[in-house]
């Protein structure tokens, strides 16, 4: 089977990441005592990349799971499967992380139901242990184990938010979009485009983020700008690339699409 | 068993498709870097046909799945089945596409629950990998693998929309109904009718699409016009064909049906 | 086991049906190209009987399924059953129809959840194929296969309606109650009553259907009148038969029952 | 195992029933042609007893099932069970009735979900057949098979009512509480009390049923009066028996209980 | 396994119970004919203890089940379990009671879903039988079998109440808190405290029950006063015991807790 | 397998706890008679630690389970698992506690559905027994068994609260945040920081707790202050530590974060 273990990062392949604030220092200090971490920030600002970078720096295995509404505690902890007429226990990703002393990253935690997130409580306080009720055992977390969860505060709602009793257990780091000079570097590196294209894309991104009274639910993320760069690298002209990867991705409303198109034309260099 | 593998298209049988805008260029540029694509457009405008065409041009296998509310991640990724007392893993269509480097087309993505669409996230960013939690492995996407999703912006609602964190990962292409000359060609080819019939049907379609203050939730799609053509090809007179395939299909309201009938009579050539 | 295969009709036993409009011509034209059909009409007007008649005329097998809220796609497509320690695949009725080139009639389609109806989409457009995800195959529809669905527009609601993307794929036929002379013939034939009784019952039916500002959710259907005829054939007097099969069946409200009873007395021949 | 087959009635043990209107004649006429029957009436008026009586008179087996929200079509039709490693089909009560030509009585049909009641449709029209999808067969109903369903119109609600398309298939009979002379006879027979006690209980029942502007959701049923009689037969004084079996059963509100108590004291003979 | 059969009471161990009204006489009369009983009363007034007492007096086995929302009819009737590759039927508590002629006590019946309570209907009328659909048999209740159900009228709501068609089948007994002299005796016996402590606790209970315009959802029950007595017997001072077992148990609101504390101080003897 | 039985505490390792009120006395008195206990208090005030301390003092095993919405009674009581073709019963944590005479701590009980909490009722009154319906036995609680449940009154809502019939069975203890001198000692001990840092953190906590008209849903808990201390111990400066572990954890609102930051700057010693 052409596969590899869940997201084990090779330090030699440390991912590309540029720090924006004191996020690296806080992560390092939390890692000393294994304190649990909560990353807050908009979609596409680089939360996943940041965790991959820190795991590489700290030399730890990283196991990533994306939260979703149908996730059950068994999806995290493990379950019995039938093999040869026997029920055999198979560890879930959280249990594997607890045994291996890995970093466990639960992305978009508010998408998971609150009852699922409850299973991480004993791992997120002084107990540092995982009760596996179906096995009748409680596993102590191996040294190096660290919980990291993330969410986008802009998506918070009455129905989907983080329980206070969960949130309180975590040291919180707020991440945002990088400043222009760092964002240019990131886009050029990730999309494989030249500096002029990257500069033009950052100008587009900034112009949209700075719109007054914006009707958009979301702004142009670094990820979107990298996608536009990718289209350019694939042979498309810059304007069509921005139109597809940014404008059409941000709205379905014909008026808004037209207005954004004009803004983009004003910002992009004349061909 | 009289069957064939899921929708593998034979290049020699490239489907009939007429480009309307720059959709072909954007798809080609995205295909270079395997960037994920989002197709937006009304029902019956030809989204599925477009993907089939591009898959044939690019020489890639196409695996298509229609989103629905009961779809679980296991329906996409795979599940264990009991065979001979053993649980045997059977790949789902997404996993097969990931291994084969195929184009995976998730039609009507907003019909699927958001938690199901979360499984495509790691395939839709720099990671290009599919975590198969139940196997405990993460599969890297084979070269050529590309994600394509589609939805109809007109059906968007508070309950059913695309998560921003999903949408942001995709290059977006907007498709609409083709202009009259192309639509005539499409109808004549697909329904097997003569040019006069196709011209009459396009006139009907345009008249309904251009109604002011239309009470209809949906307009006359290219697909509907092809169906009317098919009835004519099957021996029915043009007016009854339009009545059945367009008017009765668009509304159950007696007043609206009568008004549309009058409009159709005014537009169709006098017999 | 005293049973027979699902609703295979013997042409020699062609059911009794009297056409009211151009429904037979539209069905025949659609059958030429295998175009999918949608029958619209009130409960008890003869939709099922019409499909049975056309299947007999066309010499096709008919497989009928009634939609309901708990219907899953597996109920249509098939499922694995455990036999002798092995999981064995058993075709559902839709898959059997696809393989056999039969007419598949999904009655009361709006009762089924929208996600269930999605499985018929690839069968209802140019693809004419059924993806059987659990087998990993896509079955092309055998020649002769035709989809027919039905619903009662009077029951449409916000919660239960037909998705536009489903509805657009179908040629629509509207059916209603037959005119008096045909309805008399139908009742006499079906209930086994004489012409005078049938005429009296049709008068009752028409009187109730023509009530102004009727408080009834439903009117007296042809089916109800046949039931009343059946009671007469079973030995009951005409008035009590109408009271039981029509009046008491239409309402539980004492005042409405009394008013309908007076209307019936005025319409029925004096004994 | 100390048990007997589902409710097979012995004609020699014909249950005690006193006809109130023309319900017996309508049932007999419907039985000639096997027409489906709907019994409407308040709780405790004797619907179940009436069906038992008719089944005994007609010499048919009676199979009774009470509708409830969790009832699935498998509960009616049957399911596969695992025996000795094989899945073995076990008929449900409806299937047994269809094969045996029995009367199938679905009590409180509105309690069942509408999708469950859909399975009886093909049995309730000209088809008289039961599709057993999981076996892939359609069973014709044996001669003598008859469907009877019942519900209490007073409990109808927006959420729980009978689908029109179900209701239309049935001949309807309305049942109510019996007139005093018959109710006295029923109570004396069922509870085993003397004529004076039965007369006193009927007076209590009538007084409560005739209350103007009654705040009660339900009135004193024949069943309640029989229960009060049963307590008297068990040694309790008449007033306490009425208090427990009627007054306390009708309301939890202290004021209403007191008012009903006074009414009972006024109606009962002074001890 | 250190266990005993479900709640079989030994007459020699007849539980401590003091009758308040005519509840013992009604229970005895109902037991003669096996009439079903409904106990109404507030939480903690002694309903369970009363049933245990009557079962001991009548020399019957008592099987108790507490209603809850997830209870299914299988939880009451029984289910098939897999043993050695065979599905083996295991009786549920209701079926065991029916076979053994025991008293079956369904506590807090309104907590169970209405569809679950439907299974007791045939046991609660003249039929006295339990249809076990999955076995295809109907079990007659053994002599001595009696149904007892209970609920707290104060918790009734639109969502959770007893179906009229269920309630009507039961003789009803209302229970309340005992008068002071009996309550004192009960507390002294159950908590193992002296007469002075019991008297002080009853004074506390009466004072709270008699509060005008009380903001409390529930009043101080006999059970709470016994708990306070238990803390005193465990070595705690009377005031702290009342504070923990009564005041803090009745409210989380700081103002109400303070007000109740003052009331308690005024009522308790000065230390 | 590197694991240990569920949370068995070693007396030699008695956890660090400082009593604030009479909670220790009430717990001891309740333990004498095995009376069930309810702990009320805000998140992060030390409820879990308190129970661990008392279990160590009393020399009892402690089995802890966190309530969540998907918890079923089987999760507490046990279930059958398939082993070697046989179904084998596996005790749940509650059953293990009942057999072993342990303290069973159900944390955040209101998160569990009410029907799940019903299973603890017979353990929480005079019966002290656990009915295990699926085994058909009722287990008497071993000497020493004690139920402890907890919840945060601030999270109470219409949807999530404790049933009165559950709550009434428990002696209640209210816990709050410790006074400054005790909180300083706790932080210094738990986070491993010096007295000056602990004092500064307590000042921060008090300032936030005493905010008038606070817009925060939750205040700065002792747990949060310990986390901030842990970051300092890990090498981070005090201000950034407070910013991450307290301010960013308390709010996502930029204005509130800024205001809290100013408050923190005013309270912390100038560097």
């Amino acid at each position: 089977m052409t596969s590899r273990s869940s997201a084990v990062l090779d330090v030699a392949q440390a991912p590309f990441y540029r720090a924006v604030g004191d996020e690296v220092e806080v992560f390092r200090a939390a890692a000393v005592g294994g304190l649990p971490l909560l990353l807050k920030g908009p979609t596409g600002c680089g939360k996943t990349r940041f965790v991959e970078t820190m795991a590489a720096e700290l030399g730890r295995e990283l196991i990533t799971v994306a939260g979703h509404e149908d996730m059950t505690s068994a999806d995290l902890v493990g379950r019995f499967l039938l093999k040869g007429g026997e029920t055999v226990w198979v560890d879930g990703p959280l249990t594997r992380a607890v045994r291996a002393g890995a970093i466990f990253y639960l992305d978009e935690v508010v998408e998971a139901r609150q009852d699922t997130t409850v299973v991480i409580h004993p791992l997120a306080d002084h107990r540092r242990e995982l009760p596996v009720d179906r096995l009748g055992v409680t596993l102590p977390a191996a040294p190096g184990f660290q919980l990291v969860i993330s969410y986008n505060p802009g998506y918070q709602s009455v129905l989907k938010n983080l329980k206070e009793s969960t949130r309180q257990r975590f040291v919180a780091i707020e991440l945002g979009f990088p400043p222009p000079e760092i964002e240019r570097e990131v886009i050029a590196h990730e999309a494989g485009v030249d500096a002029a294209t990257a500069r033009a894309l950052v100008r587009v991104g900034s112009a949209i983020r700075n719109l007054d009274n914006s009707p958009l639910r979301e702004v142009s993320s670094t990820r979107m700008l990298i996608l536009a760069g990718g289209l350019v690298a694939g042979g498309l002209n810059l304007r069509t690339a921005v139109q597809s990867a940014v404008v059409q991705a941000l709205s379905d409303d014909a008026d808004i699409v037209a207005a954004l198109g004009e803004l983009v034309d004003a910002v992009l260099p004349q061909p």
Side-chain angles (χ1 to χ4, degrees), chain A:
Chain A
M1 188 184 288
T2 316
S3 71
R4 56 192 173 87
S5 161
S6 257
V8 184
L9 286 171
D10 188 349
V11 182
Q13 297 182 314
F16 179 84
Y17 183 77
R18 290 291 169 269
V20 173
D22 52 11
E23 70 264 29
V24 172
E25 287 72 27
V26 177
F27 200 118
R28 282 176 187 151
V32 172
L35 304 183
L37 272 170
L38 164 64
L39 307 182
K40 308 192 293 186
T43 298
C45 76
K47 294 189 293 289
T48 298
R49 188 59 68 96
F50 171 53
V51 179
E52 291 176 350
T53 302
M54 294 310 299
E57 178 188 308
L58 296 166
R60 305 251 181 86
E61 184 182 0
L62 172 64
I63 295 179
T64 298
V65 169
H68 58 79
E69 277 178 16
D70 286 345
M71 179 179 276
T72 64
S73 61
D75 289 330
L76 294 179
V77 176
R79 54 169 50 86
F80 286 100
L81 290 177
L82 203 65
K83 292 200 179 166
E86 287 286 322
T87 44
V88 178
W89 174 261
V90 178
D91 277 351
L94 178 58
T95 305
R96 283 189 283 125
V98 163
R99 293 193 203 266
I103 294 177
F104 181 77
Y105 178 36
L106 179 52
D107 193 15
E108 310 200 47
V109 66
V110 293
E111 298 296 328
R113 290 183 302 196
Q114 296 185 348
D115 39 280
T116 306
T117 60
V118 157
V119 304
I120 62 177
H121 279 199
L123 282 165
D125 59 24
H126 67 280
R127 289 175 286 180
R128 279 181 66 80
E129 64 191 18
L130 175 66
V132 185
D133 289 341
R134 302 207 173 195
L135 292 179
V137 300
T138 295
L139 299 173
F145 173 79
Q146 188 171 18
L147 262 181
V148 184
I149 65 179
S150 76
Y151 78 104
N152 180 345
Y155 294 166
Q156 285 276 57
S157 71
V158 176
L159 287 173
K160 291 200 172 180
N161 55 12
L162 202 53
K163 282 177 58 166
E164 288 295 332
S165 67
T166 301
R167 183 176 175 138
Q168 282 227 354
R169 292 160 200 265
F170 288 81
V171 170
I173 297 177
E174 186 173 26
L175 293 175
F177 296 119
E181 62 280 6
I182 294 183
E183 194 166 38
R184 278 203 295 271
E185 188 188 355
V186 168
I187 293 170
H189 180 275
E190 296 287 311
V193 293
D194 58 31
T197 301
R199 180 170 298 113
L201 289 170
V202 168
R203 265 205 305 271
V204 167
S206 301
I208 293 175
R209 286 174 204 160
N210 293 328
L211 274 176
D212 288 330
N213 301 317
S214 169
L216 302 171
R217 281 188 57 209
E218 196 74 27
V219 295
S220 44
S221 66
T222 306
R223 177 188 282 138
M224 277 182 176
L225 302 178
I226 294 171
L227 275 177
L231 287 177
V232 171
L236 207 61
N237 66 74
L238 184 57
R239 200 198 173 287
T240 307
V242 168
Q243 195 69 17
S244 298
V246 181
V247 174
Q248 286 287 354
L250 280 172
S251 180
D252 297 328
D253 184 285
D255 292 340
I256 296 176
V257 163
L260 288 178
E262 287 174 24
L263 180 68
V264 167
D265 285 341
V267 168
L268 283 186
Q270 298 308 314

